[in-house]
Amino acid sequence: NVEGEVTGAYFDSSGVEHGFVRVANGTITEYNVTGAGTGSGQGTSTSGINDLGAIMGFYSDSSGVDHGYVRSPSGAITTFNVSAAGTGPGQGTVPEGNNLEGEITGQYIDASGVNHGFLRSPFGAITTFDAPGAGTGAGQGTIPFTPNLFGQITGFYTDGSGVLHGFLRTR
């Protein structure tokens, strides 16, 4: 971000993922979301940091289900799920980007394995959407990226024939 902060994740020797943030002076703080699984392929992942220092990402629980979170600059973590997200392994809520206003976009994978987009307001309200033409089969659907300050969201979708397309969503 503009303050020189970066976020990322690493895997330990057991294959568990852990989040971290590195501030401009080089100090690294590691963190794990409560409820993150401790087995191989589970744990805490990061997807981005905005210019205010808010980090968002997802964590995989012990059942392999993904859940979203946002970590404030002070370290407080708020978890969230899109209500229509599936609850099986490889399903759930996966944030992809956040902006300066605190809006978070991402995808959720439903019980049929279909990807759908969501936008989470800074206050926690979640709006779901699908790009026109997005497929409805497993592995198909909508995957949005970071929202800009004007509320525009870019991303891609996979149609029913497995072809990828870009999209722009405006308010």
Side-chain angles (χ1 to χ4, degrees):
N1 67 11
V2 297
E3 299 297 325
E5 300 166 324
V6 295
T7 187
Y10 71 93
F11 290 90
D12 66 21
S13 61
S14 298
V16 179
E17 195 168 11
H18 306 274
F20 71 86
V21 60
R22 180 188 181 277
V23 295
N25 71 7
T27 302
I28 296 173
T29 302
E30 300 175 15
Y31 66 92
N32 294 293
V33 176
T34 301
T38 57
S40 180
Q42 300 170 357
T44 301
S45 181
T46 63
S47 299
I49 185 169
N50 70 13
D51 286 339
L52 296 177
I55 298 170
M56 55 85 222
F58 67 95
Y59 67 95
S60 296
D61 66 22
S62 61
S63 298
V65 180
D66 296 328
H67 310 272
Y69 75 87
V70 60
R71 182 181 186 273
S72 74
S74 67
I77 295 175
T78 301
T79 62
F80 64 93
N81 291 295
V82 175
S83 62
T87 58
Q91 300 171 358
T93 302
V94 182
E96 298 285 353
N98 60 346
N99 65 14
L100 188 59
E101 293 181 348
E103 295 174 313
I104 297 172
T105 56
Q107 61 177 305
Y108 70 92
I109 301 96
D110 68 21
S112 298
V114 180
N115 299 297
H116 306 274
F118 75 84
L119 174 65
R120 181 183 185 272
S121 80
F123 308 105
I126 296 175
T127 302
T128 61
F129 63 92
D130 290 300
T136 58
Q140 300 174 353
T142 303
I143 300 180
F145 298 128
T146 303
N148 68 18
L149 292 177
F150 303 104
Q152 299 167 319
I153 301 168
T154 59
F156 71 91
Y157 67 93
T158 306
D159 68 20
S161 298
V163 178
L164 298 177
H165 306 270
F167 73 86
L168 169 65
R169 180 180 186 266
T170 59
R171 288 187 200 200

